[in-house]
Amino acid sequence: MNNSSSNSSPYHRQQYDEEAAASSRRVKDEEDDDETSDDPFDITNTKNAPIERLRRWRQAALVLNASRRFRYTLDLKKQNDREDIRRRIRAHAQVIRAAILFREAGDRAPHVSGSPKSTTPTGGFEIGLEELASVTRDHDLPALERHGGVTGLAGMLKTNPEKGINGDDADILNRKNTFGSNTYPKKKGRSFLNFLWEAWQDLTLIILMVAAAASLALGIKTEGIKEGWYDGGSIAFAVLLVIVVTAISDYRQSLQFQNLNDEKRNIHLEIVRGGKRVEVSIFDIVVGDVIPLKIGDQVPADGVLVVGHSLAIDESSMTGEAKIVHKDHRKDPFLMSGCKVADGYGTMLVTGVGINTEWGLLMASISEDTGEETPLQVRLNGVATFIGIVGLAVALVVLVVLLARYFTGHTREPNRFIKGKTNVSDAVDGAIKIVTVAVTIVVVAVPEGLPLAVTLTLAYSMRKMMADKALVRRLSACETMGSATTICSDKTGTLTLNQMTVVEAYSGGKKLDSSDYSRSLSPTAQSLLVEGIAQNSTGSVFTSEGGEVEISGSPTEKAILSWGVKLGMKFEVVRSEASILHVFPFNSEKKRGGLAVKLPNNEVHIHWKGAAEIVLASCSSFLDADGAVKPLDEDKVAYHKKAIGDMAEGSLRCVALAYRLFDINKVPKDEDQLEQWVIPEEDLVLLAIVGIKDPCRPGVKNAVQLCTNAGVKVRMVTGDNLQTAKAIALECGILDSDAAATEPNLIEGKVFRALSDSAREEIADKISVMGRSSPNDKLLLVKALKRRGHVVAVTGDGTNDAPALHEADIGLAMGIAGTEVAKESSDIIILDDNFSSVVKVVRWGRSVYANIQKFIQFQLTVNVAALIINVVAAVTTGEVPLNAVQLLWVNLIMDTLGALALATEPPTDHLMHRSPVGRREPLITNIMWRNLLVQVCRLYSL
């Protein structure tokens, strides 16, 4: 056991022993009390308490003591199990690291000796791989402090905590050679031979091989080896071909899943190199990189926290405990790869990558499960099983009839059985031929091509959907999307381009001149706005030596930072002039975020930024045109509300910026208290209200109309102002006209939230647009629609969208704007964040279902026709017109070529003119049964 468990065990044992001793003392006191009592009803006429009562008290004490011991044992066992798992992972790590280091050292030098640590190159750095990895892996805070904390560690790794590494090719290559790359060896997938072996295990094929062997032996015996091998050899070859085709199909699907898994793991994120934010693949991260983290991100490597603001990490993926851990650079700065950012934001320094992290070791030791069965596959397996049972029953009937006819002499010459004249060998040969016919009927009856057709259809659809910018994470989503009856879509980035710019602004009680914003502002307002924009932002502004400005961050942040640059903002200078005291990260529930900063003159400014009408409601004053603070009276409130309404009707997103002074003496001095400090959000001074334009995507109106024609209702669920949502909905075609923009078609999130469950369910069908909605409102809407019988698809990008994405029948996460938490909860990732791609997914979902139905009708037609012909002929004449070889080859052609042709048929526009397939609609419809019977009759007549 490690130090932590050995230190904690005596304490827990002492605690349990003390509780048990106290319990025993209480029982003893009871006994003493009972011995001194005088009970007039005691039949023994003694001073003793009733024996039964004493015995029960002793039993209770023993049970209590035993339960506490048992609880202690369970807790200890859980702790031991966790430590045992970690020991195994680390032991496995040493083996893998040693192998990798040995191989790398062998490539560099002709001779290697000593332990892995001694062969670890330093690459000019002041700290080696093992020492660095152990600091983060063991959460060794004293060791970190010995190295000079985060700043000292950054110096040893030749990186700057603010500007990151230089980022040139030579430096990156040196870091990869020294500390490894952020990749890990994949667990070897199943080979082609494994798939061959699995295909061989099919019971029907085994029976056929036995029948082939019997037929081969019978043919050689009766007709000689030259001609007698035809039937048996043909059956064996057909079976081998089925095995090989099945194995190739499964193997190709396995490889395709591996490629999709690689694509899922290839996360792109922003890092800081050379003082500039650049987007790289997670696989290109190296030790020494500085990485900004925000809510919803996955921690891409092991590291230490440089700076954090209300940073909370979900470590359940590594510890197994559903607990949010708050991080700070003093007490707990260690971050583990694979964990998710639950709240806040910060910056980390990478200290371990790839196989040198516990997450990397876990990924190297597990493989993705590609054996998922979709609901459609399960239903088809049920259909195949039912048909197989029918075929088996028919084959048994045929077997009995043929055997009866044979042994009663009612068969044709020359193979007629004559009692007393036909020898045993000939009788056995005749019986084997009959059994072979019966077995062949069973094989033909079982539609083995159905699973193959589903596999081909899903694999083909997944590959084509990838080309249409849709990455399938769960196979079942391919088919479920074809049944979708409603799509709850975000506005920003999905229906719009997510390319935001500030086009209107109000400050000082007037509308600013958009040609030159800074000229319209007072120096005081300009200074405070620049300060608020630069400080209260998770984005960044990088100015190159040539003066070129590059802005990074979310689209909204980029729009406001761009506006700040137009106001004359020097981002780095403004950030360096004040120190951040505390941050309230942007919250999708409150629709705003704020922070407190301390200026060099010891003034404390609190800046807030968020939804215009919400921030305006917290303001009690504003800056006038001269920069003086004036009360926000009713007239001014009405003026600003009208400005917000006018901008919203023009489909602009309205954001307000406000600030207030705060007494520095009221700021908590203790850092722990400062972390819990609630930043004041009342009595604010309004600085400005800006209108941000985010134009609709080209073609989105046609896509919405296509969904409407297909019986799929598109609903917009957005956090924006209701008027902004209405304007965009009219532009996209979600609302037909202004007349339709009334409640409940157009509803605000808080109104919907306040309704009862039954009332929400009642109006859910009518809702087309929901504005100012929270993620919980989206979840409530999804639940209400599902209770109404809808198959619901939901798009989402934020961390708080995860519950709605998970609850929906199909969760669609955005590949560009979506957080890693949202992607993990989704079924399909829309790589280009475009609503038109969502419509393409619907088309492919319907195509999967339609192709499977076509194949079912095709195969069952031939199967049933062949079955009826053989059964009728066998019962009436004692012989079958289609022998085993013929039936097997017909079956083989249907299973392969038929499945390949029908399963890979691309979607057509006609599919989008049908209604969605019902959740409980039968797989074989009445029209299919009609077509099947007509075609069987035609084939039989031929």
Side-chain angles (χ1 to χ4, degrees):
M1 190 180 298
N2 70 353
N3 293 336
S4 63
S5 62
S6 62
N7 290 337
S8 61
S9 299
Y11 168 76
H12 290 299
R13 188 178 295 112
Q14 180 184 0
Q15 183 184 11
Y16 288 126
D17 288 344
E18 288 175 357
E19 290 177 355
S23 176
S24 299
R25 285 196 298 271
R26 283 195 295 271
V27 174
K28 185 69 171 63
D29 292 342
E30 283 290 336
E31 293 178 3
D32 293 342
D33 291 343
D34 287 335
E35 287 175 359
T36 59
S37 64
D38 188 3
D39 188 355
F41 299 100
D42 188 355
I43 60 174
T44 60
N45 197 21
T46 67
K47 299 287 185 179
N48 295 329
I51 296 174
E52 182 64 22
R53 185 180 176 192
L54 284 172
R55 188 175 68 80
R56 289 182 178 177
W57 270 109
R58 287 193 185 100
Q59 284 179 342
L62 288 171
V63 169
L64 182 61
N65 191 17
S67 67
R68 285 170 175 159
R69 288 281 182 183
F70 182 63
R71 188 181 66 193
Y72 161 73
T73 305
L74 285 180
D75 291 344
L76 194 59
K77 186 176 184 304
K78 286 181 181 177
Q79 192 173 6
N80 287 338
D81 288 344
R82 282 197 296 268
E83 292 303 325
D84 186 49
I85 290 170
R86 292 194 178 192
R87 277 197 300 272
R88 288 179 186 176
I89 291 173
R90 287 169 183 169
H92 182 51
Q94 295 299 329
V95 174
I96 296 176
R97 286 192 190 109
I100 293 173
L101 290 169
F102 184 82
R103 185 176 67 249
E104 291 176 349
D107 293 338
R108 286 190 297 270
H111 169 71
V112 177
S113 62
S115 66
K117 185 174 180 178
S118 64
T119 61
T120 303
T122 59
F125 300 101
E126 297 177 29
I127 187 170
L129 169 62
E130 287 298 323
E131 187 179 2
L132 180 63
S134 66
V135 172
T136 309
R137 185 178 61 237
D138 300 332
H139 290 199
D140 195 343
L141 192 58
L144 179 62
E145 292 172 352
R146 284 197 304 272
H147 291 307
V150 176
T151 305
L153 195 61
M156 298 173 81
L157 293 173
K158 297 183 178 179
T159 186
N160 186 304
E162 294 180 358
K163 296 186 177 181
I165 63 175
N166 292 330
D168 57 77
D169 293 341
D171 183 31
I172 292 173
L173 182 60
N174 182 35
R175 292 175 185 274
K176 286 185 177 180
N177 290 335
T178 305
F179 300 110
S181 60
N182 201 28
T183 56
Y184 41 85
K186 297 178 186 175
K187 191 172 183 181
K188 192 175 180 181
R190 291 185 295 170
S191 67
F192 179 66
L193 293 177
N194 292 125
F195 288 99
L196 275 178
W197 178 252
E198 286 183 5
W200 178 269
Q201 304 301 309
D202 188 277
L203 180 61
T204 308
L205 296 179
I206 293 173
I207 294 172
L208 271 178
M209 289 301 290
V210 172
S215 179
L216 188 64
L218 180 62
I220 292 173
K221 179 181 177 183
T222 56
E223 301 177 22
I225 193 168
K226 190 172 182 179
E227 295 184 358
W229 67 272
Y230 289 159
D231 284 358
S234 298
I235 295 173
F237 181 71
V239 172
L240 287 173
L241 197 57
V242 169
I243 291 172
V244 171
V245 169
T246 304
I248 289 173
S249 175
D250 290 344
Y251 182 61
R252 284 172 59 86
Q253 186 186 11
S254 174
L255 293 178
Q256 187 173 345
F257 268 107
Q258 288 180 19
N259 294 334
L260 288 173
N261 288 331
D262 290 341
E263 188 67 30
K264 283 191 289 186
R265 295 193 185 107
N266 188 16
I267 301 167
H268 284 78
L269 68 162
E270 284 188 340
I271 64 174
V272 180
R273 285 182 180 171
K276 174 183 175 183
R277 288 196 187 188
V278 293
E279 187 176 285
V280 299
S281 164
I282 191 172
F283 302 131
D284 294 329
I285 290 171
V286 295
V287 168
D289 268 328
V290 173
I291 303 178
L293 297 173
K294 61 182 183 300
I295 184 170
D297 284 350
Q298 175 178 312
V299 180
D302 282 1
V304 290
L305 185 64
V306 177
V307 61
H309 303 291
S310 305
L311 189 67
I313 304 294
D314 179 4
E315 295 184 347
S316 59
S317 58
M318 288 302 300
T319 64
E321 298 177 3
K323 183 180 179 182
I324 304 300
V325 180
H326 292 271
K327 298 288 180 178
D328 67 79
H329 63 280
R330 293 180 300 108
K331 296 179 181 177
D332 187 7
F334 300 105
L335 301 169
M336 290 189 291
S337 176
C339 300
K340 304 292 191 303
V341 180
D343 197 10
Y345 61 91
T347 306
M348 70 173 285
L349 171 67
V350 175
T351 59
V353 293
I355 205 67
N356 299 308
T357 68
E358 290 191 10
W359 176 258
L361 295 174
L362 286 173
M363 291 296 101
S365 60
I366 63 174
S367 58
E368 292 280 346
D369 178 23
T370 58
E372 174 195 6
E373 273 201 335
T374 71
L376 185 57
Q377 284 176 315
V378 173
R379 291 173 70 183
L380 284 176
N381 288 339
V383 171
T385 302
F386 173 74
I387 295 173
I389 292 171
V390 173
L392 181 62
V394 171
L396 286 173
V397 171
V398 171
L399 179 64
V400 171
V401 170
L402 290 181
L403 285 175
R405 291 178 65 91
Y406 178 72
F407 286 110
T408 56
H410 288 82
T411 54
R412 297 177 183 178
E413 296 288 351
N415 299 320
R416 181 180 296 175
F417 177 83
I418 302 173
K419 189 174 182 181
K421 292 184 179 182
T422 304
N423 58 39
V424 175
S425 178
D426 292 338
V428 171
D429 291 346
I432 288 174
K433 284 186 176 181
I434 292 171
V435 170
T436 304
V437 170
V439 169
T440 307
I441 288 174
V442 172
V443 174
V444 173
V446 175
E448 291 176 327
L450 287 182
L452 179 62
V454 176
T455 301
L456 287 173
T457 299
L458 292 175
Y460 175 76
S461 301
M462 287 176 66
R463 189 169 66 251
K464 290 297 183 181
M465 285 166 72
M466 188 71 179
D468 282 340
K469 305 298 183 184
L471 171 62
V472 178
R473 297 188 70 254
R474 291 184 178 87
L475 202 56
S476 57
C478 286
E479 63 198 49
T480 310
M481 198 64 189
S483 302
T485 58
T486 184
I487 300 173
C488 299
S489 174
D490 278 340
K491 176 186 76 70
T492 306
T494 307
L495 298 170
T496 61
L497 286 171
N498 215 11
Q499 297 173 358
M500 301 189 186
T501 51
V502 174
V503 294
E504 286 188 31
Y506 289 79
S507 182
K510 62 179 181 179
K511 185 177 181 179
L512 302 182
D513 181 5
S514 58
S515 61
D516 189 355
Y517 289 110
S518 58
R519 190 178 60 186
S520 308
L521 288 169
S522 66
T524 303
Q526 186 173 352
S527 173
L528 287 170
L529 276 172
V530 164
E531 179 184 288
I533 291 169
Q535 297 289 357
N536 192 15
S537 175
T538 56
S540 70
V541 179
F542 175 77
T543 306
S544 65
E545 293 180 0
E548 186 177 345
V549 176
E550 292 184 25
I551 300 174
S552 60
S554 69
T556 305
E557 292 283 9
K558 287 166 73 173
I560 295 174
L561 287 171
S562 297
W563 188 61
V565 171
K566 291 179 182 178
L567 297 180
M569 177 183 70
K570 304 294 182 184
F571 184 79
E572 293 295 339
V573 175
V574 177
R575 298 270 281 203
S576 63
E577 287 177 347
S579 59
I580 296 176
L581 297 175
H582 189 53
V583 174
F584 179 85
F586 180 83
N587 186 297
S588 57
E589 294 287 342
K590 288 196 169 185
K591 306 290 184 189
R592 60 180 180 264
L595 87 170
V597 293
K598 180 183 175 184
L599 302 179
N601 60 3
N602 277 340
E603 279 189 356
V604 174
H605 287 182
I606 293 173
H607 288 276
W608 283 93
K609 176 179 67 181
E613 68 271 23
I614 294 175
V615 173
L616 178 63
S618 299
C619 294
S620 58
S621 53
F622 73 104
L623 284 184
D624 66 8
D626 298 323
V629 178
K630 294 292 179 67
L632 200 62
D633 56 27
E634 291 184 5
D635 291 340
K636 285 299 178 184
V637 169
Y639 171 79
H640 286 103
K641 283 185 176 180
K642 184 179 184 303
I644 293 170
D646 291 342
M647 287 191 288
E649 287 177 2
S651 70
L652 302 185
R653 169 178 283 187
C654 302
V655 176
L657 298 99
Y659 102 109
R660 65 167 286 179
L661 287 170
F662 193 75
D663 186 356
I664 193 170
N665 296 318
K666 295 182 180 179
V667 177
K669 301 296 186 291
D670 183 72
E671 291 202 26
D672 291 331
Q673 292 180 352
L674 190 61
E675 282 294 321
Q676 305 300 322
W677 183 37
V678 178
I679 300 176
E681 50 186 297
E682 67 283 341
D683 295 330
L684 302 182
V685 179
L686 181 66
L687 297 177
I689 298 174
V690 296
I692 302 173
K693 180 69 175 176
D694 185 13
C696 275
R697 286 185 179 273
V700 73
K701 189 167 187 176
N702 292 335
V704 170
Q705 186 60 47
L706 196 61
C707 284
T708 304
N709 295 339
V712 181
K713 183 176 177 64
V714 180
R715 308 170 199 270
M716 180 198 293
V717 184
T718 178
D720 271 348
N721 182 292
L722 200 60
Q723 295 302 317
T724 305
K726 171 189 169 184
I728 293 291
L730 287 168
E731 194 175 343
C732 293
I734 294 174
L735 290 175
D736 296 331
S737 61
D738 282 321
T742 56
E743 198 170 306
N745 285 350
L746 185 72
I747 195 170
E748 200 164 1
K750 63 182 181 182
V751 176
F752 182 73
R753 190 188 318 145
L755 299 173
S756 64
D757 287 346
S758 57
R760 281 197 293 265
E761 188 176 332
E762 189 66 31
I763 70 164
D765 265 338
K766 302 173 184 176
I767 294 174
S768 295
V769 178
M770 185 184 291
R772 278 289 176 248
S773 66
S774 69
N776 190 54
D777 297 332
K778 185 185 287 188
L779 178 61
L780 292 173
L781 178 61
V782 170
K783 288 181 175 179
L785 289 169
K786 286 181 72 175
R787 286 196 297 269
R788 297 285 293 182
H790 285 282
V791 178
V792 186
V794 169
T795 69
D797 53 15
T799 300
N800 291 331
D801 287 329
L805 289 169
H806 183 74
E807 178 68 25
D809 295 287
I810 313 102
L812 303 159
M814 299 297 106
I816 299 172
T819 64
E820 290 308 311
V821 175
K823 293 175 186 177
E824 287 291 325
S825 301
S826 68
D827 303 297
I828 298 174
I829 299 174
I830 306 300
L831 298 176
D832 61 353
D833 292 12
N834 195 337
F835 185 78
S836 297
S837 298
V838 177
V839 179
K840 290 176 184 176
V841 172
V842 175
R843 282 164 55 96
W844 277 110
R846 294 190 174 193
S847 176
V848 167
Y849 208 87
N851 289 349
I852 294 301
Q853 286 186 318
K854 290 175 189 175
F855 182 76
I856 289 173
Q857 184 170 313
F858 166 72
Q859 188 169 50
L860 289 188
T861 298
V862 181
N863 277 22
V864 172
L867 199 62
I868 290 175
I869 291 169
N870 268 17
V871 169
V872 172
V875 172
T876 55
T877 66
E879 294 183 355
V880 288
L882 299 172
N883 61 30
V885 176
Q886 292 169 329
L887 286 173
L888 277 173
W889 278 97
V890 168
N891 204 32
L892 176 65
I893 291 170
M894 287 190 303
D895 282 357
T896 53
L897 299 181
L900 191 63
L902 293 174
T904 57
E905 189 173 337
T908 60
D909 292 336
H910 177 67
L911 291 172
M912 297 302 286
H913 295 292
R914 300 180 183 175
S915 298
V917 178
R919 194 191 293 269
R920 294 178 179 83
E921 188 171 319
L923 198 58
I924 305 176
T925 63
N926 293 333
I927 295 175
M928 289 174 65
W929 280 119
R930 183 200 67 192
N931 295 342
L932 191 150
L933 292 173
V934 170
Q935 289 162 4
V936 166
C937 291
R938 288 181 62 189
L939 283 172
Y940 186 71
S941 64
L942 294 174

